[in-house]
Amino acid sequence: MKLLLLTSGVLISPLLLANPGVRDATTHEQLVAQRRAAVGAEPMKGLAPSVGADSTKVNQPESLMSRSDVIKFGGYATLVPKRAILHIPVELKDRMGISDDVRLMPWPQFYVANRGWITTYEVSRSQAAGQEPLGEEILKQMEKGANLIVATYKSGPISVLPLKVPEEPEGTEKPEDTTTNLR
């Protein structure tokens, strides 16, 4: 930005020359009037009416307990999302559910205290959404394992939806098996 030198020897910016007018300061009365107009304005007037069902009545939140499974042991319990538990051995069925004599504990602390009988299995987002199958190693572990297996994503328990099998359009037949045992 170039500065202009006037005859009196004072440097003045071109921006000041572009707007030489001086305006008056806002008075207290003007500020009060502006505030009253802003407070008195109806903010909902400009909004369009909602279309469809009332979302406040349709999407009522469920209770946390109805969306969770409870794991308990040693006087403590923790909540995990439904479908986060992949395998419950018969010997550990009594450690499921809530009772009056337990205190709730966050998952990370509960897992550290009980990692001897709880195994976690890290799943991807697509596995949790049911778009990819779980790995073979976890299926083998479920068959022979004696530990409770909890699905986790970034170390936190996560629900695992059933695998979504793409449906074949009608009219398409599977090719016949052409391999035969010849003896």
Side-chain angles (χ1 to χ4, degrees), residues 20-71:
V22 179
R23 53 179 211 168
D24 293 332
T26 307
T27 64
H28 176 71
E29 289 78 22
Q30 291 171 330
L31 289 175
V32 170
Q34 288 176 357
R35 173 76 176 141
R36 283 189 183 141
V39 169
E42 181 62 42
M44 302 301 282
K45 261 187 185 176
L47 296 178
S50 63
V51 179
D54 186 4
S55 62
T56 60
K57 295 185 175 130
V58 173
N59 298 325
Q60 288 293 322
E62 300 175 23
S63 71
L64 182 61
M65 293 300 290
S66 69
R67 295 181 289 144
S68 304
D69 285 327
V70 180
I71 307 171

Side-chain angles (χ1 to χ4, degrees), residues 110-160:
F110 187 84
Y111 174 62
V112 167
N114 296 288
R115 64 180 172 252
W117 58 274
I118 297 176
T119 300
T120 60
Y121 179 70
E122 193 74 17
V123 297
S124 65
R125 294 279 296 177
S126 57
Q127 287 174 324
Q131 298 167 348
E132 289 182 21
L134 297 176
E136 289 294 322
E137 70 274 1
I138 193 65
L139 299 176
K140 289 178 185 175
Q141 192 174 3
M142 282 187 215
E143 291 176 4
K144 62 180 179 175
N147 284 0
L148 183 90
I149 301 174
V150 178
T152 57
Y153 178 72
K154 296 184 178 179
S155 301
I158 187 171
S159 298
V160 177

